[in-house]
Amino acid sequence: MGVSTKCWGDEKAGFVSAGKLKKQQLREGKFVPGDIQLAYNQLLTNGIFLFETSPDYGSGMASKKLSAEDILSRCMKEYQESDETPLLVGTFNNNFWQRSAKGLTAALSKSCDKMEVSSMEVYQMKNLGWLPSGGLIKGMSEAVIDMGIANYVGVKNLSPLRMRRIINKLDAQGLTLATNTFEYSLTNTKKEKWIKACKALGVTPLIDNPLGSGLASAQFTASNPSGGVSGPAKFPFATLEKLQPLHTVLETVAEKAKTRVSKELREMNERSRGRYGPPPKINTDITTTQVSLNYIVAKGAVPLVEVNSPSQADEVLGCMGWSLSDDEVSMLDAAADLCK
């Protein structure tokens, strides 16, 4: 499980730079830097270390040092629970001034300096184009091998064919492609073949928008169009009505998983009877959001979840320690196919 910082510093996505939120703002899903810090602390303390960020996220607040990179840097500095540090995936837009080795490494170094880290775990490039330039490939090589400001390289939205081509180019430089990030969810399963191709090629698939903007988690349904958020309707009723079979199955699977995981924990406790220390703390109050995220995990991919508050961090942490059964995944597959 990983975290996307896409909304951090983005006022259009609900970020408020300062002050105490009013009740109406809370109902609208607004969040402040303090909410992000609390969420970050919860996530890192409980074993979620992968954070994806970009100089483009929250860039409108960069002058106030409240871009996503600025906020993430502050979170890392203020975290006091342990010496644990996050694994950073930096996504870069491949702007025309970054299409040379010098431009690429300069952009990456600038982000590292802003976050006060020596390197990123993954340098991830988007908008590579059909035939990436030799400068880009050379820059990736320099960033990882010569300068050590990234440990691995990744790409974004590359089809299996284009992924194989870039792998061949990277191989010639002594590099391995580590990640490919793209959208996938229960309401957007078109790229399941991409997940399979990644696994076959030894590439980790990272998933953007794993909750389908709330449609794949049953936050927004025909019976709850507002999704508990104040403001105008986010989705047309016709869309919600079409997805009703999926939302019903999500609720059914959440109940099935809750019953099954509770039973498995009881049986585990009975077998151990305290001989191996306290039983593991595993969430049994399973929600449709957690089912939706663990569906992606069951497919062999890593969801990058947008987490902006402590309650959202709790939701993500509730996915850990249990998994969907094959039958439950099949039920969700069938429901997703029905709603296409």
Side-chain angles (χ1 to χ4, degrees):
M1 202 74 67
V3 175
S4 169
T5 65
K6 190 173 294 184
C7 296
W8 295 9
D10 186 349
E11 292 179 301
K12 292 181 181 178
F15 177 75
V16 177
S17 60
K20 186 176 180 181
L21 296 179
K22 298 177 181 178
K23 289 183 179 179
Q24 179 64 24
Q25 290 176 304
L26 290 170
R27 286 195 291 269
E28 292 170 354
K30 305 287 188 183
F31 58 98
V32 295
D35 293 325
I36 296 173
Q37 181 71 60
L38 290 172
Y40 176 90
N41 294 351
Q42 286 175 244
L43 292 164
L44 218 64
T45 299
N46 290 282
I48 292 184
F49 301 105
L50 185 67
F51 285 76
E52 184 263 343
T53 191
S54 169
D56 295 330
Y57 298 167
S59 58
M61 298 293 284
S63 61
K64 298 181 179 180
K65 295 191 179 300
L66 286 171
S67 69
E69 288 184 338
D70 290 313
I71 295 170
L72 185 52
S73 175
R74 185 182 303 174
C75 286
M76 288 188 282
K77 280 188 229 173
E78 295 186 6
Y79 180 70
Q80 303 291 331
E81 300 299 321
S82 70
D83 294 331
E84 298 285 1
T85 55
L87 300 175
L88 301 177
V89 177
T91 300
F92 292 81
N93 205 23
N94 189 19
N95 296 306
F96 70 89
W97 59 86
Q98 297 170 347
R99 294 176 187 171
S100 65
K102 184 177 179 180
L104 183 155
T105 53
L108 180 53
S109 294
K110 183 178 179 181
S111 285
C112 287
D113 290 344
K114 178 179 275 194
M115 292 189 284
E116 298 183 36
V117 296
S118 58
S119 66
M120 292 196 189
E121 187 69 10
V122 180
Y123 172 90
Q124 186 168 258
M125 176 68 74
K126 63 187 290 190
N127 302 326
L128 263 179
W130 187 252
L131 292 172
S133 69
L136 282 178
I137 303 300
K138 184 181 177 185
M140 287 179 171
S141 175
E142 287 186 9
V144 175
I145 297 174
D146 299 337
M147 299 175 66
I149 49 177
N151 295 329
Y152 302 97
V153 295
V155 291
K156 190 163 186 176
N157 291 323
L158 241 61
S159 68
L161 176 59
R162 293 168 65 199
M163 190 164 51
R164 289 185 179 92
R165 289 181 174 177
I166 194 73
I167 284 172
N168 290 335
K169 288 179 176 288
L170 291 172
D171 279 345
Q173 297 290 326
L175 295 176
T176 300
L177 184 66
T179 62
N180 187 8
T181 301
F182 47 89
E183 289 199 11
Y184 179 84
S185 70
L186 272 166
T187 52
N188 179 14
T189 59
K190 296 175 184 177
K191 293 180 178 176
E192 186 156 345
K193 289 182 179 178
W194 289 31
I195 295 177
K196 293 176 180 176
C198 284
K199 290 161 70 176
L201 293 167
V203 176
T204 300
L206 303 179
I207 301 303
D208 261 343
N209 196 18
L211 298 176
S213 301
L215 288 176
S217 61
Q219 177 187 357
F220 300 94
T221 65
S223 58
N224 184 23
S226 71
V229 179
S230 298
K234 189 173 181 180
F235 299 103
F237 184 77
T239 299
L240 301 176
E241 195 172 36
K242 180 182 177 182
L243 293 172
Q244 190 60 45
L246 172 62
H247 295 155
T248 300
V249 171
L250 268 167
E251 291 172 0
T252 300
V253 170
E255 283 300 316
K256 283 174 66 70
K258 179 178 179 178
T259 302
R260 176 178 56 79
V261 173
S262 297
K263 181 181 177 183
E264 290 170 355
L265 276 176
R266 283 195 304 271
E267 291 174 349
M268 185 190 306
N269 293 340
E270 288 171 5
R271 286 195 300 270
S272 66
R273 295 189 180 277
R275 286 175 292 184
Y276 308 106
K281 292 181 180 179
I282 296 175
N283 171 46
T284 56
D285 190 17
I286 293 168
T287 67
T288 53
T289 295
Q290 291 159 357
V291 168
S292 186
L293 291 173
N294 269 346
Y295 173 81
I296 290 170
V297 174
K299 293 293 180 179
V302 179
L304 295 175
V305 195
E306 294 173 14
V307 177
N308 309 319
S309 67
S311 61
Q312 290 175 346
D314 283 338
E315 189 84 69
V316 172
L317 290 169
C319 297
M320 299 176 70
W322 63 275
S323 58
L324 294 171
S325 68
D326 291 343
D327 286 346
E328 289 159 356
V329 172
S330 295
M331 288 175 65
L332 293 166
D333 282 335
D337 288 342
L338 188 64
C339 295
K340 287 180 179 177

